[in-house]
Amino acid sequence: MHFASFSDFMAMGGYAFYVWLSFGLTLISLVGIIVATRMKTRSLLNELRSKQAREERRKAAQQMENTL
């Protein structure tokens, strides 16, 4: 599809509202997915670190108990 000018391109043959709205909603959805994924990844990594630290403390306490 060829456009005579940039304003013709932006008008999208009279369908600009629908075209640009769909692009905008798609972009917002993709950004939302990326943000949610990163937040979930951080949350899971923090939970994993917490569990590992708890396990280390438990092992250290068990070793102290066994030496007594």
Side-chain angles (χ1 to χ4, degrees):
M1 194 172 204
H2 298 282
F3 298 100
S5 67
F6 185 71
S7 63
D8 285 344
F9 170 73
M10 294 301 288
M12 291 285 171
Y15 296 102
F17 175 76
Y18 304 107
V19 172
W20 294 117
L21 181 63
S22 66
F23 274 117
L25 291 176
T26 301
L27 181 63
I28 289 170
S29 298
L30 290 174
V31 168
I33 289 169
I34 290 169
V35 168
T37 302
R38 287 190 176 185
M39 289 174 59
K40 185 66 173 177
T41 301
R42 275 196 190 136
S43 172
L44 289 173
L45 288 174
N46 287 338
E47 185 179 334
L48 183 61
R49 285 186 197 107
S50 172
K51 285 183 179 183
Q52 286 176 337
R54 190 178 317 125
E55 184 65 25
E56 299 251 339
R57 286 192 308 269
R58 190 185 66 76
K59 283 182 182 179
Q62 195 173 32
Q63 285 177 350
M64 285 287 285
E65 187 177 290
N66 288 341
T67 59
L68 295 176

